[in-house]
Amino acid sequence: MRQILLITGGVMCAIALIVGSFTFYQANREELSLSSDLQYRTRVLADSLAESIKQLLMQGSRMAIQKTVDKIASNERITALWVFDSAGRVAAYSGTVSDVSGSALAIRAMDSNSSFSEFTRNGEERAYVFVNPIRQGERTIGALMVVEKADYIDEAIRSIWRENLLRLFLQLLLFAAVIFVLVRWVFFRSILKMVESLKAVRKGNSEIDAVPGTSFFEPLAGEISKVTMSLRQARHSASEEARMRLEKIDSPWTAERLKEFIKAYLKDRPIFVISNREPYVHNKVKNKIEWSVPAGGVVTALEPVMEACGGTWIAHGSGDADKATVDAEDKIAVPPEEPKYTLKRVWLTEKEINGYYTGLSNEALWPLCLMAHTRPLFRAEDWSEYKRVNAKFAKTLLDEIRHAKRPIVLVQDYHLALVPEMIKKVRPDALVALFWHIPWPSAAQFNICPWREELLFGMLGADLIGFHTQQYCNNFIDTVGNEVESRIDYERFSVFRGTHQTLIKPFPISIAFPGIAEGHGKLDKTVLTVLGIKSTYLVLGVDRLDYTKGILERFKGIEFLLDKHPEYSGNLTLLQIASPTRETVEKYREYAMRVTEEAVRINKKFGTKDWKPIVLEKRNYTHEALIHLYQHANVCLITSLHDGMNLVAKEFVAARRDEFGVLVLSQFTGASRDLKGALLINPYSAEETSEVLRIALTMPKAEQNKRMKTMRDSVRDYNIYRWSAELIKALSQLE
Ligand code: ADQ
């Protein structure tokens, strides 16, 4: 209140000062103008009288002079009129003022031979006196004195002040009222609202989305909203971490425990997984049909879950013998050796594969989300195919769940972003989760996607969207905030569109450990000899042949190391297992070629007759074979330029039953947040990669052991069974 009075008082003083100065100026100008007007008029009158008086004076006709004087003096402005003779005696007088010492003034004018004037004041009365000598040739024969009223000038000035002061008073009254209302209701109310919102956010009130502000305070309110949003996100991350820490006290999750958990938690609700990639591919090899597990993180992660829980997995049948192995409903029981769940295959035409898979998924969405400096290609025809194929997958699933009560649907990855909305529209009773296996870019980066709104609508059809890290969740929430009309609850990290709620949550994906990822049996000593590797030091890389995995950068790091430390020549080998992938995409074909060329170049530069620094195996390995390689490696080197999680890192850790070996891991992987015992690198710096590699190769056993134990503990604690349990728990709690 005091502040409002101060502001109002200050503004009023300023206005009073301005109006006062203007009135003073206006009054001065008015006085000047009226005075000079009076002077001019009197002089003109005196001059015109002087001529006729002169004639009468010369004739000595006092009567006539008096008559003329009387006539002129009847003018109401003229107070008095005198005519003096040359001796200064009064020759004629008419008027109401008699005590003016007229003759003295007349004599003074006649003596100086020039007219004379002054303003005089007598009490309240003010007058203007003008004396003009009357001349005949060189001789002064008399003088004429005119006295005019000047009171009206004072009155005019007074009235200016009076009017202006009255106006000022009214203005001040009006201004004070307006300022008071504006400050009180507009500014103070907005500020009070902002303060209240801030207070509520500080106290953890989740209902507040954005700090309100009038248009005047919009920029300030916007900035404050951002700060409060960061605060909520930080608080949310902290509570998530606390939740994860707390739950780690539990005994390890196993396939059995997950099975029990699902039974208890979901009762008889069936589970459906829907993904692009199938867990088992059947191909014709010579005249036989053989099956294999395709390389890729989605399959690695979800296969153990499905084995534990049963259910149906719907995926694209991509093998050339897939059709020959399914039943009339396109289904096959898997794993082929010991069936535990059903795989239902979806068939796609070549056109659909080109548009939906090669084009939109791998040439647009993959580079858009991975941010590895490859430009996304957005083609309208790919987008049409993408929508058509998503609808095809959704329809297959809807047919499959037509008799299922309240089914649980787990949609996988960026290939099927539109499926959640398509399912929920028809089956609102289904609980739908979408897990996004790759990073989510910043809102600004996602903004370049021409179909961003439709994609987000599709995704937000889900009840739950999972990402690997809190950072990706934050990016997603920011993107939704920028692109979609919705209400965001930052406390629970939910997006509301109408009455539909989508929970956004991090679930750092993992592997089956303890379990199949550990491997069993003894260390196979022959695996390296088969590959012709005799070096003391084995550095291992395992990836799909994908440009985001930084295989060329990895080679550069090895080259740098050998240049700088020639002592490793002849006794260090990088074994790169690279599974061909997405070969229909031009960028991948180019990349595969460059990887081979680089390996050849570096081998030429350093290699000898019986030693190659790089052994490149461009083929698919079984998981058992990979486990043997992991167990032999001194260092597992992961140089992804960007990676949602990276399961190879966790597989390496799980396979190291001996608790030795060093993990060198790109800081741009989701795994770098989980695996605290790894040595982190920036793969864009070959120098840094080589230096950290040298540290890894010379790391004392005790240090290796300490780090490996830490990492194994964390993968054991947060394995794929727990990932799945947490996801299903969060999903079913939404009902
Ligand atoms: P990917 O990009 O495929 O997965 P990653 O997590 O490393 O990456 O998983 C690759 C899987 O393929 C591993 O299980 C690995 O063993 C296997 N693999 C790689 N090369 C192989 C080869 N030559 N032969 C056989 N198997 C091979 C996506 C995201 C990741 C995320 C996963 C899971 O890009 O960031 O971690 O999904 O969400």
Side-chain angles (χ1 to χ4, degrees):
M1 192 65 184
R2 233 182 99 224
Q3 288 96 320
I4 301 178
L5 289 178
L6 266 174
I7 293 172
T8 316
V11 174
M12 284 170 62
C13 282
I15 293 171
L17 200 70
I18 293 167
V19 172
S21 310
F22 271 107
T23 310
F24 183 72
Y25 173 74
Q26 189 189 351
N28 267 357
R29 278 195 54 167
E30 186 67 9
E31 184 168 11
L32 223 64
S33 148
L34 289 173
S35 302
S36 60
D37 188 41
L38 175 64
Q39 286 168 339
Y40 174 77
R41 253 191 306 107
T42 312
R43 179 181 290 275
V44 170
L45 174 73
D47 283 350
S48 64
L49 256 179
E51 201 46 43
S52 49
I53 299 284
K54 183 170 99 182
Q55 298 303 330
L56 296 173
L57 269 178
M58 278 173 23
Q59 289 163 13
S61 168
R62 284 192 174 237
M63 281 287 284
I65 295 171
Q66 185 60 48
K67 224 169 149 186
T68 309
V69 165
D70 284 343
K71 195 173 149 207
I72 300 297
S74 63
N75 181 331
E76 60 174 26
R77 282 254 177 92
I78 294 175
T79 313
L81 196 62
W82 274 273
V83 176
F84 297 95
D85 63 14
S86 56
R89 286 184 303 264
V90 176
Y93 162 76
S94 180
T96 55
V97 187
S98 51
D99 60 339
V100 174
S101 49
S103 37
L105 293 172
I107 290 166
R108 192 170 140 196
M110 286 188 285
D111 284 352
S112 63
N113 197 22
S114 61
S115 56
F116 163 82
S117 68
E118 68 176 9
F119 279 95
T120 63
R121 186 177 289 283
N122 184 9
E124 286 290 287
E125 285 177 7
R126 193 177 176 206
Y128 177 63
V129 180
F130 181 79
V131 190
N132 204 11
I134 302 169
R135 296 174 57 78
Q136 167 59 34
E138 288 299 304
R139 205 159 56 88
T140 306
I141 59 168
L144 176 71
M145 185 164 94
V146 182
V147 178
E148 290 226 39
K149 281 183 187 166
D151 298 342
Y152 71 95
I153 296 179
D154 284 349
E155 184 48 40
I157 301 305
R158 266 197 302 276
S159 118
I160 285 175
W161 275 103
R162 220 176 14 247
E163 274 171 25
N164 279 2
L165 286 180
L166 184 68
R167 205 176 296 143
L168 171 68
F169 177 71
L170 291 175
Q171 277 173 354
L172 287 183
L173 219 62
L174 193 72
F175 272 116
V178 171
I179 291 167
F180 187 86
V181 170
L182 275 181
V183 173
R184 180 80 183 80
W185 295 105
V186 181
F187 295 92
F188 270 68
R189 220 166 56 145
S190 292
I191 289 171
L192 277 180
K193 260 194 198 165
M194 286 198 266
V195 170
E196 285 307 313
S197 317
L198 278 173
K199 236 191 238 168
V201 170
R202 185 169 52 78
K203 286 181 184 164
N205 183 343
S206 60
E207 295 302 311
I208 288 152
D209 289 337
V211 172
T214 55
S215 58
F216 183 77
F217 284 115
E218 212 67 73
L220 178 64
E223 282 309 310
I224 296 176
S225 290
K226 283 181 194 154
V227 173
T228 58
M229 196 172 87
S230 309
L231 191 72
R232 276 196 211 102
Q233 288 177 348
R235 192 183 284 144
H236 182 78
S237 307
S239 79
E240 271 304 312
E241 269 174 32
R243 176 183 67 84
M244 288 177 186
R245 268 202 306 275
L246 202 72
E247 291 182 11
K248 274 182 182 172
I249 298 164
D250 281 350
S251 59
W253 279 84
T254 59
E256 276 315 302
R257 186 173 166 193
L258 177 64
K259 216 182 282 177
E260 287 312 307
F261 168 83
I262 300 268
K263 243 192 254 164
Y265 224 79
L266 298 182
K267 306 280 183 314
D268 292 327
R269 293 181 80 164
I271 296 183
F272 295 85
V273 165
I274 175 165
S275 73
N276 170 69
R277 169 88 4 122
E278 56 181 342
Y280 294 95
V281 191
H282 287 86
N283 280 306
K284 281 188 197 123
V285 183
K286 295 181 186 151
N287 281 334
K288 270 179 29 199
I289 292 180
E290 284 183 7
W291 61 264
S292 63
V293 176
V298 177
V299 170
T300 305
L302 284 155
E303 161 68 10
V305 174
M306 288 305 275
E307 281 200 25
C309 310
T312 304
W313 186 326
I314 295 170
H316 169 217
S318 57
D320 57 15
D322 273 353
K323 273 195 180 157
T325 49
V326 292
D327 62 16
E329 286 184 276
D330 300 322
K331 288 179 182 169
I332 177 172
V334 288
E337 288 167 325
E338 195 188 347
K340 289 179 178 159
Y341 65 96
T342 304
L343 168 64
K344 178 170 172 111
R345 286 171 171 151
V346 175
W347 314 115
L348 299 179
T349 64
E350 207 180 320
K351 185 164 172 259
E352 285 172 331
I353 294 171
N354 283 343
Y356 139 83
Y357 180 72
T358 308
L360 208 280
S361 298
N362 291 330
E363 291 186 309
L365 292 182
W366 177 264
L368 176 69
C369 291
L370 265 294
M371 301 171 283
H373 314 292
T374 296
R375 191 187 164 138
L377 300 175
F378 300 112
R379 299 185 203 94
E381 59 273 32
D382 292 347
W383 174 238
S384 308
E385 287 303 331
Y386 184 85
K387 287 193 279 188
R388 205 193 326 276
V389 173
N390 269 244
K392 199 173 195 174
F393 271 94
K395 183 177 178 310
T396 309
L397 182 102
L398 286 168
D399 285 344
E400 221 29 59
I401 61 175
R402 67 189 179 283
H403 301 304
K405 277 191 195 138
R406 297 158 65 231
I408 301 277
V409 181
L410 307 177
V411 184
Q412 304 303 314
D413 231 352
Y414 60 101
H415 309 90
L416 301 172
L418 306 179
V419 167
E421 191 189 25
M422 292 170 173
I423 296 169
K424 280 298 259 195
K425 258 191 189 152
V426 184
R427 288 293 301 268
D429 64 322
L431 265 184
V432 180
L434 167 65
F435 193 81
W436 200 260
H437 289 261
I438 58 177
W440 189 270
S442 69
Q445 268 158 319
F446 191 74
N447 186 255
I448 64 168
C449 176
W451 309 290
R452 54 194 181 279
E453 212 185 30
E454 281 171 81
L455 276 167
L456 291 170
F457 285 164
M459 295 173 75
L460 290 171
D463 301 288
L464 168 70
I465 302 179
F467 292 95
H468 291 302
T469 67
Q470 183 64 46
Q471 181 59 51
Y472 303 155
C473 294
N474 294 351
N475 287 354
F476 182 76
I477 285 278
D478 284 349
T479 308
V480 171
N482 272 14
E483 307 289 350
V484 174
E485 190 76 23
S486 60
R487 188 168 78 77
I488 296 171
D489 179 339
Y490 286 101
E491 195 65 26
R492 273 173 290 181
F493 247 61
S494 284
V495 177
F496 286 87
R497 288 189 62 230
T499 52
H500 180 67
Q501 175 190 3
T502 306
L503 178 68
I504 316 299
K505 216 171 155 61
F507 300 94
I509 213 161
S510 196
I511 52 162
F513 173 61
I516 46 174
E518 238 176 323
H520 25 251
K522 280 200 195 138
L523 189 67
D524 181 352
K525 291 195 176 143
T526 62
V527 281
L528 295 183
T529 0
V530 172
L531 294 166
I533 299 171
K534 294 181 234 148
S535 301
T536 322
Y537 299 104
L538 177 69
V539 177
L540 180 65
V542 177
D543 310 83
R544 286 184 302 100
L545 237 174
D546 192 308
Y547 54 82
T548 62
K549 301 294 179 183
I551 299 172
L552 292 174
E553 282 73 6
R554 193 173 308 171
F555 288 0
K556 273 264 174 296
I558 293 288
E559 182 180 11
F560 213 101
L561 179 79
L562 293 172
D563 271 329
K564 216 167 159 205
H565 297 281
E567 65 272 21
Y568 286 112
S569 275
N571 58 21
L572 177 141
T573 297
L574 166 68
L575 171 59
Q576 177 62 54
I577 310 290
S579 162
T581 184
R582 303 176 189 175
E583 289 165 291
T584 48
V585 181
E586 173 74 30
K587 275 262 176 289
Y588 283 77
R589 288 201 298 273
E590 268 173 28
Y591 190 72
M593 245 160 59
R594 284 185 59 207
V595 166
T596 308
E597 283 165 7
E598 266 300 274
V600 170
R601 183 185 70 77
I602 293 169
N603 283 341
K604 222 182 231 169
K605 180 171 170 186
F606 299 102
T608 59
K609 202 157 58 72
D610 49 9
W611 171 74
K612 279 197 292 187
I614 297 176
V615 173
L616 177 61
E617 280 283 288
K618 272 174 143 178
R619 65 187 176 92
N620 212 13
Y621 268 58
T622 63
H623 275 280
E624 289 69 24
L626 286 178
I627 290 171
H628 288 298
L629 293 176
Y630 290 137
Q631 289 172 341
H632 277 285
N634 299 85
V635 175
C636 181
L637 179 56
I638 292 166
T639 49
S640 304
L641 305 180
H642 206 184
D643 216 332
M645 176 54 71
N646 192 289
L647 292 181
V648 170
K650 295 190 174 180
E651 287 171 357
F652 171 65
V653 167
R656 294 312 294 244
R657 281 177 284 153
D658 64 343
E659 297 184 333
F660 292 109
V662 184
L663 176 63
V664 175
L665 182 60
S666 160
Q667 68 190 73
F668 305 122
T669 59
S672 68
R673 287 168 176 81
D674 293 354
L675 300 173
K676 299 295 180 215
L679 296 181
L680 298 189
I681 50 160
N682 171 359
Y684 287 94
S685 162
E687 188 174 9
E688 190 181 314
T689 303
S690 90
E691 183 49 28
V692 174
L693 202 48
R694 198 192 56 76
I695 293 170
L697 291 167
T698 53
M699 186 182 281
K701 282 273 179 190
E703 172 79 7
Q704 287 186 30
N705 187 243
K706 199 174 103 203
R707 286 173 177 269
M708 187 52 82
K709 270 187 164 153
T710 312
M711 292 192 283
R712 281 172 70 80
D713 282 348
S714 93
V715 181
R716 193 183 290 113
D717 278 340
Y718 209 100
N719 59 22
I720 191 63
Y721 304 116
R722 178 161 173 197
W723 174 85
S724 168
E726 295 229 0
L727 191 117
I728 285 168
K729 194 161 127 193
L731 183 61
S732 51
Q733 277 171 350
L734 290 174
E735 276 188 325

